[in-house]
Amino acid sequence: MARPVVNDFPPYFERYISLVPEEDILQLIATSMQELKLQLSAISNENAAFAYAQDKWTVKQLLQHVIDAERIFTYRALCIARGEQESLLSFDENAYAVNADASGRHLKDIKEEMMIVRQSTMYLFQSFTPEMLSRKGLSSNNPITTLALGYILIGHWRHHASILKSRYGISI
């Protein structure tokens, strides 16, 4: 399956898709499991409550955000793959982060949940036919394909993994 092209997603998501040079999204999602496990193992309990600046997310909040976003991206992918024509709603990531209240959760549980969500993502995308991957729907009234959502969710994690390294000082 070819990479998503410009008309397959809103311009905002180019920042994530550009972080994914790989061509085979199904293979990439499958192999991302081991990479993600290694990256998460670099995050220690000592880092969990750290925020690099006032009003910035803690490490646990950032991970919870990635989990929430991946669930939303996969929900959108499922809807579009199944032929949904109604525009899917956007979400306010900051409101979700506040309402998730990751502060009371154990880092180990958040990491495990993230792995389980990625595994679920893998199975979902493996179930899509090439036709389903190429289907276009609407998200926040913007056209987007199922395939583009796969690239977005991988790129979204890569974006945040980079932030963990550059701003939180965690060698991922």
Side-chain angles (χ1 to χ4, degrees), residues 62-147:
L62 182 146
L63 294 176
Q64 185 65 60
H65 160 71
V66 172
I67 291 167
D68 289 351
E70 186 154 333
R71 282 189 166 127
I72 290 166
F73 295 145
T74 56
Y75 169 75
R76 291 174 181 172
L78 173 66
C79 291
I80 293 167
R82 299 297 190 256
E84 180 63 64
Q85 293 303 302
E86 294 294 320
S87 185
L88 302 167
L89 297 175
S90 62
F91 74 106
D92 179 338
E93 62 188 36
N94 291 310
Y96 275 50
V98 168
N99 288 309
D101 191 14
S103 65
R105 296 191 63 200
H106 294 287
L107 179 63
K108 177 183 174 284
D109 295 341
I110 294 172
K111 289 178 181 183
E112 187 174 318
E113 181 182 1
M114 196 163 170
M115 291 301 300
I116 291 168
V117 168
R118 179 58 57 88
Q119 184 175 28
S120 177
T121 297
M122 178 187 71
Y123 285 120
L124 177 66
F125 272 81
Q126 287 174 351
S127 78
F128 294 152
T129 65
E131 179 186 348
M132 291 174 191
L133 286 168
S134 66
R135 283 194 183 129
K136 191 174 279 189
L138 294 171
S139 181
S140 304
N141 294 311
N142 293 297
I144 194 162
T145 64
T146 308
L147 178 67

Side-chain angles (χ1 to χ4, degrees), residues 5-94:
V5 295
V6 174
N7 293 333
D8 288 346
F9 55 90
Y12 171 82
F13 288 117
E14 175 62 31
R15 62 192 262 176
Y16 302 134
I17 292 174
S18 67
L19 297 175
V20 186
E22 294 89 345
E23 295 290 328
D24 185 345
I25 194 63
L26 300 179
Q27 179 64 31
L28 175 58
I29 292 173
T31 60
S32 73
M33 293 289 298
Q34 188 60 31
E35 179 182 333
L36 182 59
K37 186 175 184 177
L38 286 170
Q39 290 169 326
L40 291 175
S41 71
I43 302 171
S44 69
N45 285 324
E46 292 76 36
N47 304 116
F50 175 73
Y52 66 89
Q54 188 173 356
D55 297 325
K56 294 297 181 182
W57 291 340
T58 65
V59 171
K60 288 196 297 186
Q61 286 175 307
L62 182 146
L63 294 176
Q64 185 65 60
H65 160 71
V66 172
I67 291 167
D68 289 351
E70 186 154 333
R71 282 189 166 127
I72 290 166
F73 295 145
T74 56
Y75 169 75
R76 291 174 181 172
L78 173 66
C79 291
I80 293 167
R82 299 297 190 256
E84 180 63 64
Q85 293 303 302
E86 294 294 320
S87 185
L88 302 167
L89 297 175
S90 62
F91 74 106
D92 179 338
E93 62 188 36
N94 291 310

